[in-house]
């Protein structure tokens, strides 16, 4: 199949955002929802797009994440809004754990003016950022350093984190599937994230809109395992009901 000019614009729009709802695409391209559904189906049949309930996303691997450098620029504006929303809710003089991810790295940047923080992390990028805040004590987990994103994983990191009980875990995730599972790619990273969530009094999840309906291989937790969700756009179906049932407070950063 050779996409026509309208379908090429459709592909470019989805690639730029990662995932888009069909009604939004139809409005952007100035076509009817019926035409949009037909174009999307043709592109999906060719493996150029992947459909989900009410929307479409770029095809992605369930076994390997996008490279870290690419993820730092992908949805950067939305991640910055999420980071500011999280920072507004984090009180001074509290203890935190931040895990691996470009969204938690954005949150670290947004916390530079906080005072009295004690932060534990297995993300060296987070540690380096927060080390610039003289009012913040940074504690770095030991373990195996993953060179591609400066994340620390492995049993040593898990054992280290188990020593603590913090006020808030600020965690990122690679995907949230329609069954309410939070998923990631590296089982070693998942084990550390599970320890982080288990050793916090509250768990706050930071996930931009592209993470919804995005598949990944390893289950980290379920929505019922978090207390708050911070995102950058209204959540698509079927997630509003799932969040309500799980009693998760949702913050949409504007």
């Amino acid at each position: 199949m050779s996409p026509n000019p309208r379908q090429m614009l459709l592909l470019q729009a989805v690639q730029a955002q990662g995932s888009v709802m069909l009604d939004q695409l139809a409005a952007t391209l100035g076509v009817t929802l019926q035409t949009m559904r037909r174009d999307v189906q043709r592109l999906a049949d060719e493996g150029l797009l992947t459909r989900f309930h009410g929307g479409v996303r770029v095809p992605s691997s369930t076994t390997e994440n996008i490279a870290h450098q690419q993820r730092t620029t992908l949805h950067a504006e939305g991640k910055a809004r999420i980071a500011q929303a999280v920072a507004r809710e984090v009180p001074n003089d509290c203890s935190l754990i931040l895990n691996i991810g470009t969204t938690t790295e954005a949150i670290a940047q947004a916390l530079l003016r906080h005072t009295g923080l004690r932060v534990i992390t297995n993300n060296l990028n987070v540690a380096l950022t927060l080390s610039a805040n003289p009012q913040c004590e940074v504690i770095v987990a030991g373990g195996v350093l993953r060179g591609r994103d400066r994340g620390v994983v492995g049993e040593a990191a898990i054992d280290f984190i188990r020593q603590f009980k913090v006020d808030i875990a600020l965690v990122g995730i690679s995907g949230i599937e329609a069954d309410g599972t939070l998923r990631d790619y590296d089982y070693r990273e998942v084990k550390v994230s599970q320890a982080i969530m288990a050793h916090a009094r509250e768990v706050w999840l930071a996930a931009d809109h592209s993470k919804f309906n995005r598949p990944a291989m390893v289950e980290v937790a379920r929505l019922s395992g978090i207390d708050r969700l911070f995102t950058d756009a209204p959540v698509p179906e079927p997630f509003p009901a799932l969040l309500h049932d799980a009693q998760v407070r949702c913050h949409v950063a504007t």
Side-chain angles (χ1 to χ4, degrees):
M1 172 189 174
S2 179
N4 62 37
R6 184 183 65 245
Q7 291 165 350
M8 286 300 300
L9 289 173
L10 191 163
L11 282 171
Q12 290 167 9
V14 177
Q15 288 166 355
Q17 298 185 58
S19 65
V20 195
M21 302 308 291
L22 291 183
D23 55 356
Q24 180 184 343
L25 272 174
T28 299
L29 298 179
V31 299
T32 65
L33 194 55
Q34 183 179 8
T35 297
M36 183 53 53
R37 288 195 182 106
R38 185 166 58 246
D39 283 349
V40 162
Q41 189 59 56
R42 288 174 180 170
L43 295 169
D45 290 343
E46 294 296 319
L48 299 173
L49 294 174
T50 299
R51 298 192 66 171
F52 60 83
H53 182 76
V56 65
R57 60 174 171 79
V58 293
S60 60
S61 170
T62 61
T63 61
E64 187 173 355
N65 204 356
I66 302 168
H68 179 266
Q69 186 173 2
Q70 183 180 351
R71 284 187 283 125
T72 58
T73 58
L74 195 62
H75 311 299
E77 191 273 337
K79 291 175 184 177
R81 285 191 281 114
I82 291 169
Q84 291 298 325
V86 171
R88 285 192 293 269
E89 296 294 318
V90 172
N92 292 318
D93 303 306
C94 73
S95 56
L96 308 169
I97 302 182
L98 279 72
N99 74 342
I100 300 170
T102 55
T103 306
T104 51
E105 290 165 18
I107 292 170
Q109 188 69 38
L111 292 173
L112 283 175
R113 294 185 179 180
H114 276 58
T115 60
L117 296 183
R118 179 166 289 179
V119 177
I120 302 160
T121 186
N122 65 322
N123 184 334
L124 292 192
N125 294 318
V126 165
L128 288 169
T129 296
L130 285 173
S131 67
N133 182 353
Q135 299 296 318
C136 177
E137 180 180 76
V138 181
I139 305 168
V140 183
V144 178
L145 178 61
R146 202 168 62 183
R148 67 177 182 269
D149 59 2
R150 296 177 181 169
V152 179
V153 296
E155 290 298 322
I158 295 169
D159 290 341
F160 183 83
I161 287 164
R162 284 173 176 162
Q163 300 177 79
F164 303 93
K165 188 76 170 184
V166 301
D167 297 318
I168 306 166
L170 300 175
V171 298
I173 201 72
S174 290
I176 309 173
E177 295 207 34
D179 61 356
T181 55
L182 313 179
R183 293 188 170 272
D184 227 309
Y185 295 92
D186 187 336
Y187 73 93
R188 298 174 303 168
E189 178 181 347
V190 164
K191 291 294 185 184
V192 180
S193 293
Q194 288 171 338
I196 287 171
M197 295 172 73
H199 288 263
R201 295 177 180 89
E202 288 193 23
V203 178
W204 297 5
L205 176 65
D208 69 74
H209 68 276
S210 71
K211 304 299 174 64
F212 292 95
N213 291 296
R214 185 184 182 200
M217 188 174 69
V218 189
E219 180 176 335
V220 181
R222 301 190 69 86
L223 284 173
S224 57
I226 66 172
D227 298 286
R228 301 200 199 185
L229 168 67
F230 293 80
T231 189
D232 61 335
V235 296
E237 294 294 341
F239 296 100
L242 293 175
L243 291 168
H244 178 269
D245 291 345
Q247 299 183 327
V248 176
R249 182 178 173 187
C250 184
H251 304 254
V252 178
T254 57

